[in-house]
Amino acid sequence: MAQLTVEVGTSACLLPSGHPELIRTFAEEVAPATRELVTAARARGDEPRTSRATAAGCAPRRRRPGTGSGTAQPDTGRPDTA
């Protein structure tokens, strides 16, 4: 996880909610160790090699207002004119 965070910029992880022991282990062991490794890497000046959008192979998406369909559209950074 630390490698993904440092090299790609990953900032989140999904865990299955039906496994309390996995969540407990993640919270008590994995997350703190990952945090320490990432902090050390950033102190050395390591930065993501690519942006998250590039790593995912797509631009950020957003819903079209008023459609209720949840159809994803590219986020142009400009307000909709429709």
Side-chain angles (χ1 to χ4, degrees):
M1 287 189 63
Q3 184 177 3
L4 283 172
T5 301
V6 173
E7 291 183 2
V8 181
T10 301
S11 61
C13 177
L14 299 177
L15 298 172
S17 62
H19 299 276
E21 187 58 35
L22 175 65
I23 294 170
R24 188 174 5 272
T25 300
F26 182 86
E28 293 174 358
E29 299 175 25
V30 177
T34 300
R35 215 175 287 119
E36 288 179 24
L37 291 168
V38 170
T39 298
R42 288 181 177 160
R44 290 190 307 270
D46 294 355
E47 295 182 18
R49 295 180 185 156
T50 182
S51 72
R52 276 180 251 147
T54 302
C58 62
R61 310 298 259 181
R62 63 187 168 95
R63 291 183 179 207
R64 289 177 41 200
T67 64
S69 67
T71 304
Q73 298 295 318
D75 185 358
T76 64
R78 299 180 304 233
D80 287 337
T81 56

